[in-house]
Amino acid sequence: MKKYLIIVILFFAYQPLMLACDHCKELHSNNVEEITNDEKPSESMEPQQNYLPSLITATPFEGRQLAITLARKSIAEIQTDPETRKKLRSDYATDTQQLIASAQIIAIEFQTIAAANNYWRK
């Protein structure tokens, strides 16, 4: 279960990078159509709030905070039950490998944000 969750997290973390190339965009759009045609959204789904109007931030610190937000939102999207997330916290809170994996996800998100901000060069 832990390995599967990490693989899913990595997929979502690398997805913005994959969409940068035209070939990957085409593959992704085909896969999305296949998935959305087969699955019907839940009636209880609430409208999504746009917590990401832009990747542009004023400072590297704000960029890192945004990276943390993106990582946390990804987990909430994957594991939608808040009670389950609370129960799992005790598992990863003491597991060094899972904490390192979480830090790597934040680093990947931060790398994407830094590139979008031209590494805050003026």
Side-chain angles (χ1 to χ4, degrees), residues 14-38:
Y14 281 111
Q15 191 174 15
L17 298 175
M18 292 183 341
L19 293 178
C21 78
D22 292 331
H23 176 71
C24 293
K25 284 180 189 176
E26 184 179 324
L27 289 174
H28 178 70
S29 65
N30 291 341
N31 289 339
V32 169
E33 288 172 13
E34 290 172 16
I35 292 170
T36 54
N37 288 338
D38 293 339

Side-chain angles (χ1 to χ4, degrees), residues 38 68-69 73 83-84 89 92 95 97 100 103 120-121:
D38 293 339
I68 292 169
T69 298
K73 293 289 187 178
E83 290 303 314
T84 302
R89 283 187 190 140
Y92 69 77
D95 186 337
Q97 289 181 338
I100 290 171
W120 294 276
R121 293 182 187 140

Side-chain angles (χ1 to χ4, degrees), residues 60-61 63-65 67 105-115 120:
F61 178 78
R64 185 169 185 284
Q65 295 304 311
I105 298 303
I106 293 169
I108 292 167
E109 296 285 9
F110 183 67
Q111 183 179 23
T112 304
I113 294 163
W120 294 276

Side-chain angles (χ1 to χ4, degrees), residues 77-122:
E77 287 291 320
I78 294 166
Q79 179 47 262
T80 57
D81 181 27
E83 290 303 314
T84 302
R85 285 195 309 268
K86 284 181 184 179
K87 289 177 187 174
L88 293 173
R89 283 187 190 140
S90 62
D91 291 343
Y92 69 77
T94 58
D95 186 337
T96 307
Q97 289 181 338
Q98 287 190 50
L99 292 172
I100 290 171
S102 298
Q104 289 171 334
I105 298 303
I106 293 169
I108 292 167
E109 296 285 9
F110 183 67
Q111 183 179 23
T112 304
I113 294 163
N117 285 281
N118 196 26
Y119 304 95
W120 294 276
R121 293 182 187 140
K122 298 208 179 201

Side-chain angles (χ1 to χ4, degrees), residues 40-51 73 76-77 80-82 85:
K40 295 189 169 117
S42 168
E43 293 178 10
S44 65
M45 287 181 63
E46 297 176 17
Q48 297 285 327
Q49 178 187 4
N50 184 4
Y51 60 88
K73 293 289 187 178
E77 287 291 320
T80 57
D81 181 27
R85 285 195 309 268

